[in-house]
Amino acid sequence: MIEAGEFGLIEKIRKMYMVPEGFTGIGDDCAVIPQKSGEDTLVSSDMLIEGVHFLLDSIGPWQLGWKSAAVNISDIAAMGGTPVGSFLSFALPGSVGSEWMDAFLEGYGCISNEFGIPLLGGDTTSSPERLCISVTVLGRCKSGQCKRRNAAKPGDMICVTGPLGDSAGGLKVILAETGKLSLQNLSDISKAGNSIERLVCRHFLPWPRIKEGKILAGCKVVHAMMDISDGIGSDLRHILSESDVGAVVDVENVPVSDDLLAFCAENGLDAKELAICGGEDYELLFTAEDGSDPGIPYFKIGHIVEGDSLIWKGTDKDYMGFKHF
Ligand code: ADP
Ligand code: MG
């Protein structure tokens, strides 16, 4: 048991190792490595562990392949970069067979093709018990142009690129319905027949906001940016601590979809809580000069203030977001 928790451990590691001048290391969505060519190289690495990030009997292999690539591509989007290649590693238990693997690779390949990302390498080993997947994605952006978490300024508006909480709603459906619904074959959100299926699709098949991230990166009025993987209840705190600022969020203005509202109304759930604490939406969270035009449609959810407080206006809850340990 690590007493300091996930983020305490990361901070400890961060303090132990020096980062060369001009590099960005631990603490952002990607590492940033300056190149001689006038471009920066971006690197992001993430693991997906059976039992922690997915349950083998509730997600199909095609979907898991898609999602494994998507969550890493999203970290390139988070900095405003263009993905250029990926590395895929497995620790495989005996329970994983060839048919499962073929479908996984098809899903992984499908999203990689969508974004024009070649698979360039990886590693394959056995695992005594559980499946572990590790993906690294490389990206690039113009030198000095990528958006970091540490650039939010008092007075900035806080924005997100789309409705939040659908993925958390989808996960609720999946956990309740495992074995009862044949949702594991969903591979295209346009084929989802109803609001429940659309929520599940949003959980299984996140769409990294590469296009939006690149536009935002080219926009001077945009200051800090990251992707939403753990829910803004957790992720916004990263922007605040890295930028040394506080925030006021208007809970009323946190966008939620009609699908999520309908699902929550039927099941006695709080849509705003799923939107803020749920995670895995992979929308972008950014700050920009108040009233400016960042070049894409966005939802304004609050503003940055001096100090270090995070106030959720319109509620007495203190939202936290997802934590691994
Ligand atoms: P994200 O959710 O965007 O993938 P994480 O919360 O996983 O970000 O990681 C936050 C930061 O900590 C990133 O910069 C990541 O590279 C770094 N990090 C996480 N785990 C480790 C580790 N074991 N060693 C070094 N850096 C780490
Ligand atoms: Mg991220």
Side-chain angles (χ1 to χ4, degrees):
M1 171 90 182
I2 309 275
E3 288 81 13
E6 177 192 356
F7 299 124
L9 172 61
I10 293 173
E11 261 323 292
K12 183 175 168 183
I13 297 172
R14 185 175 178 173
K15 290 196 181 106
M16 282 173 69
Y17 300 97
M18 293 292 292
V19 177
E21 183 72 26
F23 285 52
T24 297
I26 296 171
D28 223 308
D29 292 285
C30 297
V32 185
I33 305 170
Q35 304 293 328
K36 288 186 180 135
S37 62
E39 282 199 332
D40 292 336
T41 295
L42 307 175
V43 188
S44 167
S45 190
D46 260 310
M47 277 199 286
L48 289 99
I49 310 291
E50 181 189 347
V52 178
H53 300 95
F54 62 90
L55 300 168
L56 264 187
D57 58 1
S58 20
I59 185 164
W62 196 98
Q63 299 163 330
L64 187 59
W66 174 288
K67 191 163 178 177
S68 304
V71 302
N72 279 273
I73 297 168
S74 177
D75 275 326
I76 303 288
M79 310 284 292
T82 304
V84 295
S86 79
F87 293 76
L88 171 62
S89 302
F90 297 112
L92 292 173
S95 54
V96 167
S98 311
E99 217 176 292
W100 189 98
M101 186 49 80
D102 288 349
F104 177 97
L105 293 172
E106 241 187 72
Y108 189 94
C110 184
I111 183 166
S112 298
N113 286 341
E114 289 275 357
F115 288 92
I117 309 170
L119 175 60
L120 302 175
D123 196 18
T124 305
T125 70
S126 64
S127 164
E129 214 177 310
R130 294 195 181 178
L131 172 62
C132 168
I133 299 155
S134 168
V135 178
T136 299
V137 177
L138 303 181
R140 68 163 150 238
C141 74
K142 260 198 216 152
S143 176
Q145 205 186 62
C146 71
K147 300 292 181 189
R148 294 179 171 78
R149 296 177 178 183
N150 66 3
K153 296 187 173 73
D156 280 0
M157 55 181 182
I158 304 170
C159 308
V160 295
T161 49
L164 306 178
D166 280 7
S167 177
L171 180 60
K172 290 239 177 261
V173 176
I174 293 157
L175 294 178
E177 301 289 335
T178 296
K180 285 189 249 162
L181 286 175
S182 57
L183 295 169
Q184 291 186 27
N185 297 323
L186 281 179
S187 61
D188 184 347
I189 196 156
S190 65
K191 292 189 190 127
N194 56 37
S195 64
I196 296 287
E197 290 190 359
R198 281 193 293 275
L199 294 179
V200 170
C201 251
R202 291 268 290 156
H203 182 78
F204 281 153
L205 306 172
W207 183 264
R209 303 296 180 203
I210 289 289
K211 189 182 77 186
E212 292 81 357
K214 282 165 72 171
I215 294 170
L216 292 168
C219 225
K220 281 215 170 69
V221 293
V222 175
H223 296 152
M225 186 156 78
M226 68 181 298
D227 67 332
I228 304 171
S229 54
D230 293 341
I232 56 169
S234 169
D235 290 331
L236 177 57
R237 290 172 204 273
H238 294 309
I239 287 187
L240 301 186
S241 62
E242 292 296 319
S243 303
D244 219 1
V245 291
V248 178
V249 176
D250 287 307
V251 172
E252 202 185 323
N253 293 340
V254 173
V256 289
S257 70
D258 289 344
D259 287 336
L260 186 66
L261 282 176
F263 172 69
C264 287
E266 257 171 49
N267 294 282
L269 295 165
D270 178 353
K272 295 285 176 173
E273 184 151 2
L274 291 182
I276 294 170
C277 307
E280 298 206 283
D281 288 305
Y282 299 103
E283 295 291 346
L284 300 176
L285 170 66
F286 64 95
T287 79
E289 275 171 35
D290 200 10
S292 62
D293 175 12
I296 56 159
Y298 64 91
F299 297 88
K300 177 177 167 179
I301 62 166
H303 58 278
I304 296 290
V305 295
E306 285 186 24
D308 58 5
S309 59
L310 171 53
I311 292 162
W312 302 98
K313 215 169 107 189
T315 178
D316 47 13
K317 291 184 182 171
D318 186 20
Y319 298 107
M320 294 308 285
F322 184 78
K323 271 202 185 132
H324 286 282
F325 56 84

